[in-house]
Amino acid sequence: MTRIKTVDFIVLAIALMPFALWLMIRDSLAERIPIHWNAVGEVDGWADKGHVPLFLGFIAVTGIGVYLLL
């Protein structure tokens, strides 16, 4: 069994930081959150507050995947 390196721990901590931030601000978020803006800066995509953990999970998994790939 290999030991977890310090760098691996740091990468995992950075990847999970958005979840910690979300836990701190989730009660103050609006029910609908803008997720996409067009070329002139107008919001043209919305998501419900409940979808935020899914988006954060996608970001975390992508970051860890890129780290492992490299």
Side-chain angles (χ1 to χ4, degrees), residues 3-15 64 67-68:
R3 293 181 4 182
I4 297 177
K5 298 176 191 174
T6 304
V7 174
D8 294 336
F9 179 74
I10 292 170
V11 168
L12 183 61
I14 290 171
I64 292 171
Y67 171 73
L68 293 174

Side-chain angles (χ1 to χ4, degrees), residues 1-53:
M1 181 163 87
T2 61
R3 293 181 4 182
I4 297 177
K5 298 176 191 174
T6 304
V7 174
D8 294 336
F9 179 74
I10 292 170
V11 168
L12 183 61
I14 290 171
L16 295 177
M17 274 185 198
F19 287 104
L21 178 63
W22 175 73
L23 287 173
M24 289 188 283
I25 67 169
R26 68 180 172 179
D27 294 332
S28 64
L29 291 175
E31 287 301 315
R32 286 182 21 153
I33 301 169
I35 60 168
H36 190 269
W37 292 261
N38 61 20
V40 293
E42 299 167 341
V43 177
D44 63 356
W46 296 87
D48 292 330
K49 183 162 93 172
H51 289 102
V52 173

